[in-house]
Amino acid sequence: MERVVLVTGASGGVGLALCRRLLEEDGRIHLCVACRNALKAEATRDAILELHPAAQVSTVEVDLGSLASVLRAAKELRCRFQRLDFVYLNAGIMPNPHVNFKALWKGLLTGKLLHMLTTAEGVMTQTDRLNGDGLQEVFTTNLFGHFILIRQLESLLCGNEKPSRLIWTSSSNARESAFSLSDYQHAKGQESYSSSKYATDLTSVVLNRKLNKQGLYSSVVCPGLVMSNMTYRILPVFLWTLLMPIMWLIRFFAKTYTLTPFNGAEAHVWLFKQKPEYLDALAKYHSCTSGLGKNYVEPRKMDVDEETAEKFYQKLLELEEQTLERYGDLLD
């Protein structure tokens, strides 16, 4: 049978570029695109088939910010497939981003500007809100919705003849300083995106420890700085127009300025071709682009504490139990 690949957040940006690149690597895969609503899913499928008319592409509707939607999608996928070979956990949000220009100026004066521009450390803040489940929206969409999804799909992911793979889209902005076990949903801070991505790194580490023996492997990637709908919301369009030539120049010094979704998907596609048994479970695989436009992948050790990861995982399990009690009617 053909390999089955599920991609969340497939309607644009890195997700859509990834879908196209995966079909270039292997046109025999069955690609299932997961999007927030049915209209986006069908439009995404049509866009992919324009370039790959012979491809097997199906859709599933899932809003990762709605736990009921996640449970319904998981149930549909369990009915439709006997196994999943790859799940790209790519969907994410960064609502109401704001740039701290004062921090940028300070970085310029202290010589830390390049570091700040490549990691967004101290530069980006967000205003989060509660979703319909009473959970923080960024935490739910970027991490917990995905966690519930893969927990509900374990029967398709574990115990297969060949290993199955989870590949999470994280960020260089994933920082321990933005995360707290006592406020793991980041209800009290202004760096919810960074917190959710650090939580993603922690989760991947624990999943490997618990599920590798069952044939499920988890990896984390960083697409670099990609110009997408998420990025364009940070500044007015006219400023991006002025900044783009400068950003192309910065890429000679900052290899994580991948800029295009095609380049940003480099690490995702590279992992598609690797044997998971030989990968470093504590590494984050970064998409990089040289100043002359050559793409490559660079592994970097993640700054994660394994004890913290285990404690956080237990909190996720507790929250999962509450979720399943609330939505018991959506379970088999």
Side-chain angles (χ1 to χ4, degrees), residues 40-126:
K40 278 194 171 185
E42 287 303 319
T44 301
R45 181 177 184 271
D46 291 344
I48 294 169
L49 290 176
E50 281 185 15
L51 293 178
H52 303 277
Q56 299 180 73
V57 184
S58 61
T59 67
V60 64
E61 180 181 351
V62 57
D63 178 355
L64 273 302
S66 165
L67 298 181
S69 175
V70 171
L71 292 172
R72 283 192 292 267
K75 188 173 185 178
E76 181 180 341
L77 290 166
R78 289 197 304 271
C79 292
R80 195 189 303 176
F81 298 112
Q82 294 182 325
R83 73 171 197 277
L84 289 171
D85 297 281
F86 288 82
V87 179
Y88 283 92
L89 304 156
N90 172 70
I93 59 170
M94 184 170 59
N96 305 308
H98 301 284
V99 177
N100 188 337
F101 289 101
K102 184 178 179 180
L104 278 175
W105 177 249
K106 185 178 179 181
L108 178 62
L109 296 177
T110 58
K112 297 180 180 179
L113 183 62
L114 185 59
H115 172 76
M116 294 171 73
L117 289 175
T118 53
T119 64
E121 183 174 342
V123 178
M124 293 299 305
T125 61
Q126 302 89 42

Coordinates of all heavy atoms in Angstrom, one line a residue, residues 40-126:
K40 N -11.9 25.5 2.7 CA -10.4 25.6 2.6 C -9.8 24.3 2.2 O -8.8 24.3 1.4 CB -9.8 26.1 3.9 CG -9.9 27.6 4.2 CD -9.0 28.0 5.3 CE -8.9 29.5 5.4 NZ -7.9 29.9 6.4
A41 N -10.3 23.2 2.7 CA -9.8 21.9 2.4 C -9.9 21.6 0.9 O -9.0 21.1 0.3 CB -10.5 20.9 3.3
E42 N -11.1 21.9 0.4 CA -11.3 21.6 -1.0 C -10.5 22.5 -1.9 O -10.0 22.0 -3.0 CB -12.8 21.7 -1.4 CG -13.7 20.6 -0.8 CD -13.2 19.2 -1.3 OE1 -12.9 19.1 -2.5 OE2 -13.3 18.3 -0.5
A43 N -10.4 23.7 -1.6 CA -9.6 24.7 -2.3 C -8.1 24.2 -2.3 O -7.4 24.3 -3.3 CB -9.7 26.1 -1.8
T44 N -7.6 23.7 -1.2 CA -6.3 23.3 -1.1 C -6.1 22.0 -1.9 O -5.0 21.9 -2.6 CB -6.0 22.9 0.4 OG1 -6.1 24.1 1.2 CG2 -4.5 22.4 0.6
R45 N -7.0 21.1 -1.9 CA -6.9 19.9 -2.7 C -6.9 20.3 -4.2 O -6.0 19.7 -4.9 CB -8.1 19.0 -2.4 CG -8.1 17.7 -3.2 CD -9.3 16.8 -2.9 NE -9.3 15.6 -3.5 CZ -9.8 15.3 -4.7 NH1 -10.4 16.3 -5.4 NH2 -9.7 14.1 -5.3
D46 N -7.7 21.2 -4.6 CA -7.7 21.6 -6.0 C -6.4 22.3 -6.4 O -5.8 22.0 -7.5 CB -8.8 22.6 -6.3 CG -10.2 22.0 -6.2 OD1 -10.3 20.8 -6.2 OD2 -11.2 22.8 -6.0
A47 N -5.8 23.1 -5.5 CA -4.5 23.7 -5.8 C -3.4 22.7 -5.9 O -2.5 22.9 -6.8 CB -4.2 24.7 -4.7
I48 N -3.4 21.7 -5.1 CA -2.4 20.6 -5.2 C -2.6 19.8 -6.5 O -1.6 19.5 -7.2 CB -2.5 19.7 -4.0 CG1 -2.1 20.5 -2.7 CG2 -1.6 18.5 -4.1 CD1 -2.4 19.8 -1.4
L49 N -3.8 19.5 -6.8 CA -4.0 18.7 -8.0 C -3.7 19.4 -9.3 O -3.5 18.8 -10.3 CB -5.5 18.2 -8.0 CG -5.8 17.1 -6.9 CD1 -7.3 16.8 -7.0 CD2 -5.0 15.9 -7.2
E50 N -3.7 20.7 -9.3 CA -3.3 21.5 -10.5 C -1.9 21.1 -10.9 O -1.6 21.1 -12.1 CB -3.5 23.0 -10.2 CG -4.9 23.5 -10.3 CD -4.9 25.0 -10.1 OE1 -3.8 25.7 -10.2 OE2 -6.0 25.6 -9.9
L51 N -1.1 21.0 -9.9 CA 0.3 20.6 -10.2 C 0.6 19.1 -10.2 O 1.5 18.7 -10.9 CB 1.3 21.3 -9.1 CG 1.3 22.8 -9.1 CD1 2.2 23.3 -8.0 CD2 1.9 23.3 -10.5
H52 N -0.2 18.4 -9.5 CA -0.1 16.9 -9.5 C -1.4 16.2 -9.7 O -2.0 15.7 -8.8 CB 0.5 16.5 -8.1 CG 1.8 17.2 -7.7 ND1 3.0 16.7 -8.1 CD2 2.0 18.3 -7.0 CE1 3.9 17.5 -7.6 NE2 3.4 18.5 -6.9
P53 N -1.8 16.3 -11.0 CA -3.2 15.8 -11.3 C -3.4 14.3 -11.0 O -4.6 13.9 -10.9 CB -3.3 16.1 -12.8 CG -1.9 16.3 -13.3 CD -1.1 16.8 -12.1
A54 N -2.4 13.5 -11.0 CA -2.5 12.1 -10.8 C -2.4 11.7 -9.3 O -2.5 10.5 -8.9 CB -1.5 11.3 -11.6
A55 N -2.2 12.7 -8.4 CA -2.0 12.4 -7.0 C -3.2 11.9 -6.3 O -4.4 12.3 -6.7 CB -1.4 13.6 -6.3
Q56 N -3.1 11.2 -5.3 CA -4.2 10.8 -4.4 C -4.2 11.8 -3.2 O -3.4 11.8 -2.3 CB -3.9 9.4 -3.8 CG -3.8 8.3 -4.9 CD -3.6 6.9 -4.2 OE1 -4.5 6.4 -3.6 NE2 -2.4 6.4 -4.3
V57 N -5.2 12.6 -3.3 CA -5.3 13.7 -2.2 C -6.7 13.7 -1.7 O -7.7 13.8 -2.4 CB -5.0 15.1 -2.8 CG1 -5.1 16.2 -1.7 CG2 -3.7 15.1 -3.6
S58 N -6.8 13.5 -0.4 CA -8.1 13.6 0.3 C -8.1 14.7 1.3 O -7.0 15.3 1.6 CB -8.5 12.2 1.0 OG -7.5 11.9 2.0
T59 N -9.2 15.0 1.9 CA -9.3 16.1 2.8 C -10.0 15.7 4.2 O -10.7 14.7 4.2 CB -10.1 17.3 2.2 OG1 -11.5 16.9 2.1 CG2 -9.6 17.7 0.9
V60 N -9.7 16.4 5.2 CA -10.4 16.3 6.5 C -10.5 17.6 7.1 O -9.6 18.4 7.0 CB -9.7 15.3 7.4 CG1 -8.3 15.8 7.8 CG2 -10.5 15.0 8.6
E61 N -11.7 17.9 7.6 CA -12.0 19.2 8.2 C -11.6 19.1 9.7 O -12.2 18.3 10.4 CB -13.4 19.6 8.1 CG -13.8 20.9 8.7 CD -15.3 21.3 8.5 OE1 -16.0 20.5 7.8 OE2 -15.7 22.2 9.1
V62 N -10.7 20.0 10.2 CA -10.4 20.0 11.6 C -9.9 21.4 12.0 O -9.0 21.9 11.4 CB -9.3 18.9 12.0 CG1 -8.0 19.1 11.1 CG2 -9.0 19.0 13.5
D63 N -10.5 21.9 13.0 CA -10.1 23.2 13.6 C -9.3 22.8 14.9 O -10.0 22.4 15.9 CB -11.3 24.0 13.9 CG -11.0 25.4 14.6 OD1 -9.8 25.6 15.0 OD2 -11.9 26.2 14.9
L64 N -8.0 22.9 14.9 CA -7.2 22.5 16.0 C -7.5 23.3 17.3 O -7.1 22.9 18.4 CB -5.7 22.6 15.7 CG -5.1 21.4 15.0 CD1 -5.2 20.1 15.8 CD2 -5.6 21.2 13.6
G65 N -8.2 24.5 17.1 CA -8.5 25.3 18.3 C -9.8 24.8 18.9 O -10.3 25.4 19.9
S66 N -10.5 23.8 18.4 CA -11.8 23.3 18.9 C -11.6 21.9 19.2 O -11.5 21.0 18.3 CB -12.9 23.6 17.9 OG -14.0 22.8 18.2
L67 N -11.7 21.5 20.4 CA -11.5 20.1 20.8 C -12.6 19.1 20.2 O -12.3 18.0 19.9 CB -11.4 19.9 22.3 CG -10.2 20.7 22.9 CD1 -10.1 20.5 24.4 CD2 -8.9 20.3 22.3
A68 N -13.8 19.6 20.1 CA -14.9 18.8 19.5 C -14.5 18.5 18.1 O -14.7 17.4 17.6 CB -16.2 19.6 19.7
S69 N -14.0 19.5 17.4 CA -13.6 19.4 16.0 C -12.5 18.4 15.8 O -12.5 17.5 14.9 CB -13.2 20.7 15.4 OG -12.7 20.6 14.0
V70 N -11.5 18.4 16.7 CA -10.4 17.5 16.7 C -10.9 16.0 16.9 O -10.5 15.1 16.2 CB -9.4 17.8 17.8 CG1 -8.3 16.8 18.0 CG2 -8.7 19.2 17.5
L71 N -11.8 15.8 17.9 CA -12.3 14.5 18.1 C -13.1 14.0 17.0 O -13.0 12.8 16.6 CB -13.2 14.5 19.4 CG -12.4 14.8 20.7 CD1 -13.3 15.0 21.9 CD2 -11.4 13.6 21.0
R72 N -13.9 14.8 16.3 CA -14.7 14.4 15.2 C -13.7 14.0 14.0 O -14.0 13.0 13.3 CB -15.6 15.5 14.7 CG -16.9 15.6 15.6 CD -17.9 16.5 14.9 NE -17.5 17.9 14.9 CZ -17.8 18.8 15.8 NH1 -18.5 18.5 16.9 NH2 -17.4 20.1 15.6
A73 N -12.7 14.8 13.8 CA -11.8 14.5 12.7 C -11.0 13.2 13.0 O -10.8 12.4 12.1 CB -10.8 15.7 12.6
A74 N -10.6 13.0 14.2 CA -9.9 11.7 14.6 C -10.8 10.5 14.3 O -10.3 9.5 13.8 CB -9.5 11.8 16.0
K75 N -12.1 10.6 14.7 CA -13.0 9.5 14.5 C -13.1 9.3 13.0 O -13.1 8.1 12.5 CB -14.3 9.9 15.1 CG -15.4 8.8 15.1 CD -16.6 9.2 15.9 CE -17.6 8.0 16.0 NZ -18.8 8.4 16.8
E76 N -13.2 10.3 12.2 CA -13.3 10.2 10.7 C -12.1 9.5 10.1 O -12.2 8.6 9.3 CB -13.5 11.5 10.1 CG -13.7 11.5 8.6 CD -13.9 12.8 7.9 OE1 -14.3 13.8 8.7 OE2 -13.7 13.0 6.7
L77 N -10.9 9.9 10.6 CA -9.7 9.3 10.1 C -9.5 7.9 10.5 O -9.0 7.1 9.7 CB -8.5 10.1 10.6 CG -8.3 11.6 10.1 CD1 -7.3 12.4 10.9 CD2 -7.9 11.5 8.6
R78 N -10.0 7.5 11.7 CA -9.9 6.1 12.1 C -10.8 5.2 11.2 O -10.5 4.1 11.0 CB -10.3 6.0 13.6 CG -9.3 6.5 14.6 CD -9.6 6.0 16.0 NE -10.9 6.3 16.4 CZ -11.2 7.4 17.1 NH1 -10.3 8.3 17.3 NH2 -12.5 7.6 17.5
C79 N -11.9 5.8 10.8 CA -12.8 5.0 9.9 C -12.3 4.9 8.5 O -12.5 3.9 7.8 CB -14.2 5.7 9.9 SG -15.1 5.7 11.4
R80 N -11.5 5.9 8.1 CA -11.1 6.0 6.7 C -9.8 5.2 6.5 O -9.6 4.7 5.4 CB -10.9 7.5 6.3 CG -10.8 7.7 4.8 CD -10.4 9.1 4.5 NE -11.3 10.1 5.1 CZ -11.1 11.4 5.0 NH1 -10.1 11.9 4.4 NH2 -12.0 12.2 5.5
F81 N -8.8 5.2 7.4 CA -7.5 4.7 7.2 C -7.2 3.5 8.2 O -7.8 3.5 9.3 CB -6.4 5.7 7.4 CG -6.5 6.9 6.4 CD1 -6.9 8.1 6.8 CD2 -6.3 6.7 5.0 CE1 -7.0 9.2 5.9 CE2 -6.4 7.7 4.1 CZ -6.7 9.0 4.6
Q82 N -6.4 2.6 7.7 CA -5.9 1.5 8.6 C -4.6 1.9 9.3 O -4.3 1.3 10.3 CB -5.7 0.2 7.8 CG -7.0 -0.3 7.2 CD -6.8 -1.6 6.5 OE1 -5.7 -1.8 5.8 NE2 -7.7 -2.5 6.5
R83 N -3.9 2.9 8.8 CA -2.7 3.3 9.4 C -2.3 4.7 8.9 O -2.9 5.1 7.8 CB -1.5 2.3 9.1 CG -1.0 2.4 7.6 CD 0.2 1.6 7.4 NE 0.9 2.1 6.2 CZ 0.5 1.6 5.0 NH1 -0.4 0.7 4.8 NH2 1.2 2.1 3.9
L84 N -1.4 5.4 9.6 CA -0.9 6.6 9.2 C 0.6 6.5 9.2 O 1.2 6.1 10.3 CB -1.3 7.8 10.0 CG -2.8 8.2 9.9 CD1 -3.2 9.2 11.0 CD2 -3.1 8.8 8.5
D85 N 1.3 6.9 8.2 CA 2.8 6.7 8.1 C 3.5 8.0 8.6 O 4.5 8.0 9.3 CB 3.2 6.4 6.7 CG 2.7 5.0 6.3 OD1 3.3 4.0 6.7 OD2 1.7 5.0 5.5
F86 N 2.9 9.2 8.2 CA 3.5 10.5 8.6 C 2.3 11.4 9.0 O 1.3 11.4 8.4 CB 4.2 11.1 7.5 CG 5.5 10.5 7.1 CD1 5.6 9.4 6.3 CD2 6.7 11.1 7.6 CE1 6.8 8.8 5.9 CE2 7.9 10.5 7.3 CZ 8.0 9.4 6.4
V87 N 2.5 12.1 10.2 CA 1.6 13.1 10.5 C 2.4 14.4 10.7 O 3.3 14.4 11.7 CB 0.8 12.8 11.8 CG1 -0.1 14.0 12.2 CG2 0.0 11.5 11.6
Y88 N 2.2 15.4 9.9 CA 2.9 16.7 10.0 C 2.0 17.6 10.8 O 0.9 18.0 10.4 CB 3.2 17.3 8.6 CG 4.4 16.6 7.9 CD1 4.2 15.5 7.1 CD2 5.6 17.1 8.1 CE1 5.3 14.9 6.4 CE2 6.7 16.5 7.5 CZ 6.5 15.4 6.6 OH 7.6 14.9 6.0
L89 N 2.4 17.9 12.1 CA 1.6 18.7 13.0 C 2.1 20.2 12.8 O 2.9 20.7 13.5 CB 1.9 18.2 14.4 CG 1.5 16.7 14.6 CD1 2.3 16.1 15.7 CD2 0.1 16.5 14.7
N90 N 1.5 20.8 11.7 CA 2.0 22.0 11.2 C 1.1 23.2 11.5 O 1.6 24.4 11.5 CB 2.2 21.9 9.7 CG 2.5 23.2 9.0 OD1 3.6 23.8 9.2 ND2 1.6 23.8 8.3
A91 N -0.2 23.0 11.8 CA -1.1 24.1 12.0 C -0.7 25.0 13.2 O -0.2 24.4 14.2 CB -2.5 23.6 12.1
G92 N -0.9 26.3 13.1 CA -0.6 27.1 14.2 C -1.1 28.5 14.0 O -1.4 28.9 12.9
I93 N -1.2 29.3 15.1 CA -1.6 30.7 15.0 C -0.7 31.5 15.9 O 0.0 31.1 16.8 CB -3.1 30.8 15.5 CG1 -3.2 30.4 17.0 CG2 -4.0 30.1 14.6 CD1 -4.5 30.7 17.6
M94 N -0.6 32.8 15.5 CA 0.1 33.8 16.3 C -0.8 35.1 16.3 O -0.6 36.0 15.5 CB 1.5 34.1 15.8 CG 2.3 35.1 16.6 SD 4.0 35.2 16.1 CE 3.9 35.7 14.4
P95 N -1.8 35.2 17.1 CA -2.8 36.3 17.0 C -2.3 37.6 17.5 O -1.5 37.6 18.5 CB -4.0 35.8 17.9 CG -3.3 34.9 18.9 CD -2.2 34.2 18.2
N96 N -2.7 38.6 16.9 CA -2.4 40.0 17.3 C -0.9 40.2 17.7 O -0.6 40.7 18.8 CB -3.3 40.4 18.5 CG -4.7 40.2 18.3 OD1 -5.2 40.7 17.3 ND2 -5.4 39.5 19.1
P97 N 0.0 39.9 16.8 CA 1.4 40.1 17.1 C 1.8 41.6 17.1 O 1.3 42.4 16.4 CB 2.1 39.4 15.9 CG 1.2 39.5 14.8 CD -0.2 39.4 15.4
H98 N 2.7 41.9 18.0 CA 3.2 43.3 18.2 C 4.7 43.2 18.2 O 5.3 42.4 18.8 CB 2.6 43.9 19.4 CG 1.1 44.0 19.5 ND1 0.4 44.9 18.8 CD2 0.2 43.2 20.2 CE1 -0.9 44.7 19.0 NE2 -1.0 43.7 19.9
V99 N 5.3 44.2 17.6 CA 6.8 44.4 17.6 C 7.2 45.4 18.7 O 6.6 46.5 18.8 CB 7.3 44.8 16.2 CG1 8.8 45.0 16.3 CG2 6.9 43.8 15.2
N100 N 8.1 45.0 19.5 CA 8.7 45.9 20.5 C 9.9 46.6 19.9 O 11.0 46.2 19.9 CB 9.1 45.1 21.8 CG 9.5 45.9 22.9 OD1 9.9 47.1 22.8 ND2 9.4 45.4 24.1
F101 N 9.6 47.8 19.4 CA 10.6 48.6 18.7 C 11.7 49.1 19.7 O 12.8 49.2 19.4 CB 10.0 49.8 17.9 CG 9.2 49.3 16.7 CD1 7.8 49.2 16.8 CD2 9.9 49.0 15.6 CE1 7.1 48.9 15.7 CE2 9.2 48.6 14.4 CZ 7.8 48.5 14.5
K102 N 11.3 49.3 20.9 CA 12.2 49.7 22.0 C 13.3 48.6 22.2 O 14.5 48.9 22.4 CB 11.5 50.0 23.3 CG 12.4 50.6 24.4 CD 11.5 50.9 25.6 CE 12.4 51.4 26.7 NZ 11.6 51.8 28.0
A103 N 12.8 47.4 22.2 CA 13.7 46.3 22.4 C 14.7 46.1 21.2 O 15.8 45.8 21.4 CB 12.9 45.0 22.6
L104 N 14.1 46.4 20.0 CA 15.0 46.3 18.8 C 16.1 47.4 18.9 O 17.2 47.1 18.5 CB 14.1 46.5 17.6 CG 13.4 45.3 17.0 CD1 12.5 45.7 15.8 CD2 14.3 44.2 16.6
W105 N 15.7 48.6 19.3 CA 16.7 49.6 19.4 C 17.8 49.3 20.4 O 19.0 49.5 20.2 CB 16.0 50.9 19.8 CG 16.9 52.1 20.0 CD1 17.3 52.7 21.1 CD2 17.7 52.8 19.0 NE1 18.2 53.7 20.9 CE2 18.5 53.8 19.6 CE3 17.9 52.6 17.6 CZ2 19.3 54.6 18.9 CZ3 18.7 53.4 16.9 CH2 19.4 54.4 17.6
K106 N 17.4 48.7 21.6 CA 18.3 48.3 22.6 C 19.2 47.2 22.1 O 20.4 47.2 22.4 CB 17.5 47.8 23.8 CG 18.4 47.4 25.0 CD 17.6 47.0 26.2 CE 18.5 46.6 27.4 NZ 17.7 46.2 28.6
G107 N 18.7 46.3 21.3 CA 19.5 45.2 20.7 C 20.5 45.8 19.7 O 21.6 45.3 19.7
L108 N 20.1 46.8 19.0 CA 21.1 47.5 18.1 C 22.3 48.1 18.9 O 23.4 47.9 18.5 CB 20.4 48.5 17.3 CG 21.2 49.4 16.3 CD1 21.8 48.4 15.2 CD2 20.4 50.5 15.7
L109 N 22.0 48.7 20.0 CA 23.0 49.4 20.8 C 23.9 48.4 21.5 O 25.1 48.6 21.8 CB 22.3 50.3 21.8 CG 21.6 51.5 21.2 CD1 20.9 52.3 22.4 CD2 22.5 52.4 20.4
T110 N 23.3 47.2 21.8 CA 24.1 46.2 22.6 C 24.7 45.1 21.7 O 25.4 44.2 22.2 CB 23.2 45.5 23.7 OG1 22.1 44.9 23.0 CG2 22.7 46.5 24.7
G111 N 24.5 45.2 20.4 CA 25.1 44.2 19.5 C 24.4 42.9 19.5 O 24.9 41.9 19.0
K112 N 23.1 42.9 20.0 CA 22.3 41.6 20.0 C 21.3 41.6 18.9 O 20.4 40.8 18.9 CB 21.7 41.4 21.3 CG 22.7 41.2 22.5 CD 22.0 41.1 23.8 CE 22.9 40.9 24.9 NZ 22.2 40.7 26.2
L113 N 21.3 42.6 18.0 CA 20.2 42.8 17.0 C 20.1 41.6 16.1 O 18.9 41.1 15.9 CB 20.5 44.0 16.2 CG 19.3 44.4 15.2 CD1 18.0 44.6 15.9 CD2 19.7 45.5 14.3
L114 N 21.2 41.0 15.6 CA 21.0 39.9 14.7 C 20.4 38.7 15.4 O 19.6 38.0 14.8 CB 22.4 39.5 14.1 CG 22.4 38.4 13.1 CD1 21.6 38.8 11.9 CD2 23.8 38.1 12.6
H115 N 20.8 38.4 16.7 CA 20.2 37.3 17.4 C 18.8 37.6 17.6 O 17.9 36.6 17.5 CB 20.9 37.2 18.8 CG 20.3 36.3 19.7 ND1 20.4 34.9 19.6 CD2 19.5 36.5 20.8 CE1 19.7 34.3 20.6 NE2 19.1 35.3 21.3
M116 N 18.4 38.8 17.9 CA 17.0 39.1 18.1 C 16.2 38.9 16.9 O 15.0 38.5 16.9 CB 16.8 40.5 18.7 CG 17.4 40.7 20.1 SD 17.5 42.4 20.7 CE 15.7 42.7 21.0
L117 N 16.7 39.3 15.7 CA 16.0 39.2 14.5 C 15.9 37.8 14.0 O 14.9 37.5 13.3 CB 16.8 40.0 13.4 CG 16.7 41.5 13.5 CD1 17.6 42.2 12.4 CD2 15.3 42.0 13.4
T118 N 16.8 36.9 14.4 CA 16.7 35.5 14.0 C 15.9 34.6 15.0 O 15.4 33.5 14.6 CB 18.1 34.9 13.8 OG1 18.8 35.1 15.1 CG2 18.8 35.5 12.7
T119 N 15.7 35.1 16.2 CA 14.9 34.3 17.2 C 13.6 35.0 17.6 O 12.8 34.4 18.3 CB 15.8 34.0 18.4 OG1 16.1 35.2 19.1 CG2 17.0 33.3 18.0
A120 N 13.5 36.3 17.4 CA 12.4 37.2 17.8 C 12.4 37.3 19.4 O 11.4 37.7 20.0 CB 11.1 36.6 17.4
E121 N 13.5 36.9 20.0 CA 13.6 37.0 21.5 C 13.5 38.4 21.9 O 14.2 39.3 21.6 CB 14.9 36.4 21.9 CG 15.1 36.4 23.5 CD 16.3 35.7 23.9 OE1 16.9 34.9 23.1 OE2 16.7 35.9 25.1
G122 N 12.5 38.7 22.8 CA 12.2 40.0 23.3 C 11.6 41.0 22.3 O 11.4 42.1 22.7
V123 N 11.3 40.5 21.1 CA 10.8 41.4 20.1 C 9.3 41.3 19.9 O 8.6 42.2 19.7 CB 11.6 41.1 18.7 CG1 11.0 42.0 17.6 CG2 13.0 41.4 18.9
M124 N 8.8 40.0 19.9 CA 7.4 39.7 19.6 C 6.6 39.4 20.8 O 7.0 38.7 21.7 CB 7.4 38.5 18.6 CG 8.0 38.7 17.3 SD 7.1 40.0 16.4 CE 5.5 39.4 16.4
T125 N 5.4 40.1 20.9 CA 4.4 39.8 21.9 C 3.1 39.5 21.2 O 2.9 40.0 20.1 CB 4.3 40.9 22.9 OG1 3.8 42.1 22.2 CG2 5.6 41.2 23.6
Q126 N 2.2 38.8 21.9 CA 0.9 38.5 21.4 C -0.2 38.7 22.4 O 0.1 38.6 23.6 CB 0.8 37.0 20.9 CG 1.8 36.7 19.8 CD 3.1 36.1 20.4 OE1 3.1 35.4 21.4 NE2 4.2 36.6 19.9

